Each structure stands twice: as C-alpha cells, then as structure tokens.
Amino acid sequence: MFDSFGRIERRPRRTVSFSEAERMLRDGRAGAGGLLGFGNGRSYGDSCHNDGGALVEMRPEARILGFDPASGILDAEAGVLLADIIAFAAPHGFFLPVTPGTRFVTLGGAIANDVHGKNHHRRGTFGCHVVSFELLRSNGAVFSCSPLKNEALFAATIGGMGLTGLIVTARIRLMRVPSLDVEERVTRFADLDQFFALAEKADADNEYAVAWIDQLAEGGRAGRGLLLTGNHAGNGNFDASPRPAWLGVSFELPFSVLNRPSLKLFNAAYHHLKGREAGPHLSGYEPFFYPLDSLRGWNRLYGPAGLYQHQSVIPEPQARETIPAMLEATRRAGQVSFLTVLKRFGTIRSPGLLSFPQPGYTLTLDFPNRGEKTLELLSELDRLTVEAQGRVNPYKDQRMSAATFAASFPQWKMLEEQRDPAFSSNFWRRTAQVLAA
Ligand SMILES: Cc1cc2nc3c(=O)[nH]c(=O)nc-3n(C[C@H](O)[C@H](O)[C@H](O)COP(=O)(O)OP(=O)(O)OC[C@H]3O[C@@H](n4cnc5c(N)ncnc54)[C@H](O)[C@@H]3O)c2cc1C
C-alpha cells in the first residue's frame, strides 16, 4: 500500500522502480503529477506521498559500497536501512552519530527529512554528518553535492523532503563508540517545572537525553514523567544482531485497541517499573534507542482510522509557558496524547535549508484519529506553536495549513527555487504550492 506511518489516507499508490524513474527523467516523461522518492514510509503524514504522480521505490537500492574503518566514512545506496548500517559498522567500533527513534528508516529518508535523535544537543541533525551525495534530477543529470560543490542543492536536499530529486548514494561520517550499549539513568520528575529544572544539566552531562511524560496520570499528576539519559558504555558489547520483536501486529484491526483506560494502566506500570531503574545500569542499544521497534506494526493498534502525530519545537524563552499550555489544550479537548515525548534541542545548526530543529524544546504528541474533533485540537496546537515563534514538523504532518507552514518555515521559497519541477508531494501541493499560487 505504501502507507505512511500514521495510516490516515490509505489507498493504492502508483509506484515505479528506480531504473524506470531514471528512464522517465532522462526522457522527460515524469508526467504532470511528477515523481517522489519513497524510502520505508516511516514519515507519519503525507510528505512521503505523491498522489496523482508516482512514488519511486528506493528500498531495493540498498548496497553498502565502501567503508573506511580508520575514519568511519561510509558510502551506501540511499535505500539501505539504518538497521543495516548499524549491523555493518558495529564490528568496526562505529555507530550512527544521529539516530531517530526507529532504525527502519532508509539513508535517503534520513537525509531528506534531516532526522534528529536523543543527542541533538551534542551532534545536531543527521545532515551534519553527511559528507556528500549523488542527486538524480530531471533530464537524468546526476549532481555530486557537498558543502563545497553544488552547495545550494546540498542545503536544499538535506531536509528537503525529496523535492530536489532522488538521492542515489550518500557518504556519511559514522561515530566511534566504546560499545553499542548504553549506560542509562532514569530520573523521575513530578511535573514540568521539575523537568525544565533538570533538562539543561542532563544535556550538558550526557550524550543522550529525552523525557517521557505520563499525560494520563490522575489526581493532578499529569505531567509527571521520566528523564532518560545515557552514554555509550565502556563495558558493553558490539552485538548488533536483531532481537525478535515481542509483538507483531500483522493484520488489520477493525477498531482501535488503544484507549484511555488501557493506556492509563500501561503508563502507570511503565512509570513505576522504569522509574525503579534509578541508578546507572547497562541498557542494550535496541531498548534504549528503539523501544517501539520491538512492537512491530504497533501503529495498527490505532485501528483503521490511523493516528496523527504532532511535533513542535518551541524556542527556549517561551517553552516554560507554551508547553504546559499545549498539554492543557489536549486535556481541555478531552484528547490527551497517548505517547508524549519532550526533548531539549541544542544550538548546532544543520546545513539543511528546511531542517526542523531549532534551539528550544520539542514536544511530540500522538493522537488516535477521531475526525473533526482531533483536527480542531491539532489546529489549536499549531496556533500555540506559531504564537510562540516555534515550528510544526512537516514530516510528521498530514493536515497543517499553508499559513502554519509558512510561519514555521519562512524560508520555504528557497526550497521551492531548488525544487526539481519533476518532483512534488501531497504535502508540498497543499502548503507551499498553495502559497506560491
Ligand atoms: C517509531 C518512529 C520513531 C521516529 N522517531 C524519530 C526521531 O526520533 N527523530 C526524527 O527526526 N524522526 C523520527 N521518526 C520519523 C522518521 O525517522 C522519518 O520520517 C524518516 O525520514 C523516515 O525515513 P523513510 O526511509 O521511512 O522515508 P519515507 O518516510 O519513505 O520518506 C521520507 C522523505 O524522504 C524522501 N525520500 C526517501 N528516499 C529518498 C531518496 N532516495 N531520495 C530523495 N528523497 C527521498 C521522501 O520523498 C520523503 O519526503 C520516527 C518515525 C517512527 C515511525
């Protein structure tokens, strides 16, 4: 089906192979709807869809082409999964310098969305570690792009959501680590004030820091949570062999099995059990970086209507007011988020033109799709974000207005200038192309 992860608009989609796309571009046959690279569909919304045109299946283009164990420089085709890069590099003592919360993401997708991880404060975004890439554009021309060559295309492609052409291969710099495993600490906080008091020092002291918030707790405890911090352990190992998923949802559920009572129980248990792991302890890299990957197909638990994710970043001075206001808005709407994550972004600038992170706090909220009611809440969250001079994440989005996008990324016109006219997406058509019309 080539769904995105939120599974909101599910329909059969026209796809072409990479070699067919190459021929179409060379012969000027991309068509009115154009093309769009499709990695592994881990974007939540419609930025990885191009209805009316075709998606280019990039997953099969997945060879690792070269690796220098002295420098950690790796060359690979764009369809390779981060999971495969981890498995390849681990025996050499290397890991990804930046990883999102799932390893089932392609190299091309990680660059095109300029993904971030739990160590943004130390390493910036994925794009900060891209040395160069080859980009296929209209007329079949391949451009070598780096900070010194075709610089404008390099900047526009990092975080450019596939709109500048097809990333064919990329060269990235991996990070040497003492082991894949992580020495983790878990710190409980009773409310957001306590979290804000802890967050800056947690970043200063640790490679990784992220907080989980229990919005479903009762009795004035909503806002309590756990701050998870960690550093690669000196006494861990480099075993990257994947563990079997402990739950796999491979079939369609007729309704959502995630509801307030079931999640309230889950959250209370997680807060209690995880919160007991207070002292430093060794965590395997999979549970630390990718806890949700062990629940294969968990997005299906939201049922046929799917889920919306809302991710915002709020500048530091406004965050202490705006983030509690956003959580309060979800409570007022009677739709608290089922999974709530809060993280402080650092100041390292991405080379990407439309990169999402900026200094401040990023709040990620997951909501089951309850139709109009949920859309109204999401618009209210947009409003609060924009009012605080923040940004709404486009690659998690399925419905933000063109105005919200323009307020979040006033530099969108520069990407439009670098966009290959043979490429477009549902997201771009309903935001930038409306603004440009
Ligand atoms: C459980 C989960 C946790 C996540 N955690 C994080 C997180 O912590 N941080 C974060 O930043 N993101 C996170 N994400 C989002 C995810 O990392 C990104 O959306 C990622 O970019 C998806 O990559 P993909 O390979 O699946 O690409 P797709 O979703 O298929 O496509 C993503 C974009 O890349 C473009 N694209 C794909 N391949 C190419 C190519 N070869 N050339 C040009 N363009 C291409 C597409 O056109 C599209 O615009 C998470 C997602 C999930 C499901």
Side-chain angles (χ1 to χ4, degrees), residues 40 42 59 62 64 74 79-91 94-96 98-100 102-107 110 126 172 180 239-243 285-286 290 293 296:
N40 208 28
R42 259 46 180 189
R59 265 293 287 129
I64 290 180
L74 176 123
V80 70
L81 289 180
L82 298 188
D84 296 329
I85 295 180
I86 295 168
F88 176 89
F94 285 89
F95 185 61
L96 299 165
V98 169
T99 178
T102 171
R103 61 206 191 287
F104 302 123
V105 157
T106 62
L107 176 59
F126 198 88
I172 57 170
L180 290 190
D239 180 7
S241 45
R243 273 179 238 158
Y285 84 100
E286 286 179 291
Y290 313 114
D293 283 354
R296 290 283 157 86

Side-chain angles (χ1 to χ4, degrees), residues 195-211:
F195 165 76
F196 285 120
L198 293 167
E200 202 168 330
K201 179 152 173 26
D203 280 4
D205 293 349
N206 297 284
E207 174 79 24
Y208 303 107
V210 71

Side-chain angles (χ1 to χ4, degrees), residues 3-6 18 35-49 55-59 61 77-82 98-118 134-136 157 160-169 289-290 292-293 298-299 309 311 339 341 345 356-357 364 366 393 395-396 423-425:
D3 288 334
S4 63
F5 203 72
F18 173 67
L35 300 174
L36 185 72
F38 188 90
N40 208 28
R42 259 46 180 189
S43 299
Y44 275 75
D46 62 355
S47 63
C48 62
H49 284 152
L55 296 175
V56 184
E57 289 182 53
M58 295 306 293
R59 265 293 287 129
E61 316 304 314
E77 291 178 337
V80 70
L81 289 180
L82 298 188
V98 169
T99 178
T102 171
R103 61 206 191 287
F104 302 123
V105 157
T106 62
L107 176 59
I111 297 172
N113 282 344
D114 196 17
V115 297
H116 55 270
K118 297 177 172 72
E134 303 280 299
L135 187 71
L136 174 65
T157 302
M161 295 184 285
L163 297 161
T164 58
L166 290 171
I167 302 165
V168 184
T169 62
F289 293 107
Y290 313 114
L292 291 169
D293 283 354
W298 62 267
N299 52 345
Q309 185 167 97
Q311 185 178 14
L339 183 62
V341 176
F345 278 151
F356 164 68
T364 308
D366 280 4
N393 189 338
Y395 58 87
K396 305 284 183 80
F423 287 78
S424 193
S425 68

Side-chain angles (χ1 to χ4, degrees), residues 154-183:
F154 183 76
T157 302
I158 294 175
M161 295 184 285
L163 297 161
T164 58
L166 290 171
I167 302 165
V168 184
T169 62
R171 171 171 291 186
I172 57 170
R173 190 176 293 105
L174 299 179
M175 175 170 79
R176 193 181 283 285
V177 288
S179 76
L180 290 190
D181 295 337
V182 172
E183 189 177 84

